Amino acid sequence: MGWAKATKLAGRTALQGLVAVKFDKGHGALVELNCETDFVAKNDKFHKMMEDATLAAFKFAHTHLQAKGPITKMELDSEQLGNLQAEGGKKLSETLALFIGTVGENAVLRRAECWKANQNEVKITAYTHPAPATPGDYSAGKYGALLAYKQPNDLQDFGRQLCQHIVGCAPVKIGDKEKDKPAKNSDDETCLIFQEYLLDPSYTVEEVMEQNKLEIIDYVRFSCGEAVESNMPGVEKQPLDTVQTLQ
């Protein structure tokens, strides 16, 4: 019943939904799940599907990423994400088909980013907007980001605040003060280090980073329903046949 319904609805546009994060200090997952309407995106069953998908991607980050540089990053497309195992032993694609059969509209496991820190001094944090009332290691919203950084005194709250800035201000790249120049109009700034810091615009992000002795290793930001580049720079794309169902 679920597969038949999913096949029938597969061609319908699904750009609503959520992005979600799950992380610990050394691992992170950022996942997007789409549906047709915002009404379904608020459904408890949709939130359960979102949480299952994010947990599966988080487990993948723990068990399947090999050390390479300060962090290992893996981008999973829709088919690869669906091949991961959900709680209870089913593949995510099977769980999704049952969900579609229940709600009666199309839904898509769109993409995921799985990260692993390979050095003790590298930390991973994450943020979604709207933010939950009580911050935790899992959250979902319309926007989300993962951030990998180094900071000697390990003030994780500041890392999360910087991740909040990334979600809110949508920088295109970290930026290099030796090679890049600030935009003439601060509202047009796309380099993270030159942007006015979201929580205190009297400082730039670079100035706040220097004050807190923080070094950004990398970040990634998802906006639900956004157009996605086919080849994201700096992210390894794993062949489908190597993304096996988790045991």
Side-chain angles (χ1 to χ4, degrees):
M1 177 66 179
W3 279 113
K5 191 75 170 180
T7 301
K8 182 178 179 180
L9 299 176
R12 286 164 45 169
T13 301
L15 293 177
Q16 297 298 317
L18 292 170
V19 299
V21 296
K22 186 171 178 61
F23 68 100
D24 55 31
K25 285 188 176 182
H27 305 82
L30 175 61
V31 179
E32 181 176 356
L33 175 63
N34 297 133
C35 56
E36 294 181 48
T37 64
D38 191 52
F39 177 78
V40 165
K42 295 176 181 177
N43 186 295
D44 288 344
K45 291 183 174 65
F46 184 89
H47 281 264
K48 179 63 167 62
M49 184 72 229
M50 179 85 262
E51 191 166 359
D52 286 349
T54 308
L55 179 59
F58 182 68
K59 287 183 176 179
F60 181 86
H62 266 270
T63 58
H64 282 61
L65 298 189
Q66 298 180 353
K68 182 188 295 185
I71 59 171
T72 302
K73 303 181 294 180
M74 189 71 68
E75 175 194 0
L76 301 181
D77 63 21
S78 180
E79 189 173 1
Q80 293 166 330
L81 184 55
N83 203 40
L84 300 185
Q85 189 179 67
E87 292 293 311
K90 291 186 174 68
K91 288 185 179 182
L92 284 176
S93 57
E94 296 172 325
T95 306
L96 182 70
L98 293 173
F99 167 76
I100 292 171
T102 300
V103 300
E105 73 172 51
N106 191 26
V108 179
L109 289 160
R110 191 177 188 197
R111 53 177 170 161
E113 284 270 348
C114 303
W115 284 18
K116 175 184 178 182
N118 301 318
Q119 300 172 357
N120 290 334
E121 63 268 28
V122 177
K123 304 295 187 294
I124 292 175
T125 190
Y127 183 85
T128 58
H129 178 81
T134 303
D137 63 358
Y138 171 83
S139 64
K142 291 295 184 181
Y143 309 89
L146 290 176
L147 171 69
Y149 66 98
K150 292 181 180 179
Q151 189 177 29
N153 52 9
D154 193 24
L155 295 175
Q156 192 168 13
D157 283 348
F158 178 70
R160 186 173 179 275
Q161 289 167 5
L162 189 54
C163 206
Q164 180 182 358
H165 172 97
I166 291 167
V167 168
C169 297
V172 173
K173 61 180 180 178
I174 296 171
D176 184 334
K177 62 182 179 181
E178 301 298 329
K179 299 178 181 179
D180 298 311
K181 294 182 179 180
K184 293 181 179 180
N185 186 337
S186 61
D187 291 338
D188 298 328
E189 186 58 69
T190 59
C191 287
L192 174 60
I193 60 173
F194 298 138
Q195 288 181 328
E196 294 178 349
Y197 184 46
L198 182 65
L199 301 184
D200 187 349
S202 64
Y203 294 96
T204 65
V205 170
E206 181 183 22
E207 290 170 339
V208 174
M209 287 169 54
E210 289 176 351
Q211 291 171 7
N212 289 273
K213 298 180 180 179
L214 183 143
E215 175 189 353
I216 294 176
I217 305 300
D218 209 347
Y219 74 90
V220 63
R221 178 186 184 274
F222 282 5
S223 174
C224 185
E226 69 184 340
V228 182
E229 296 180 18
S230 58
N231 294 303
M232 299 175 69
V235 179
E236 180 180 352
K237 186 65 176 295
Q238 189 169 9
L240 179 61
D241 58 5
T242 66
V243 182
Q244 302 296 331
T245 301
L246 298 182
Q247 301 298 323

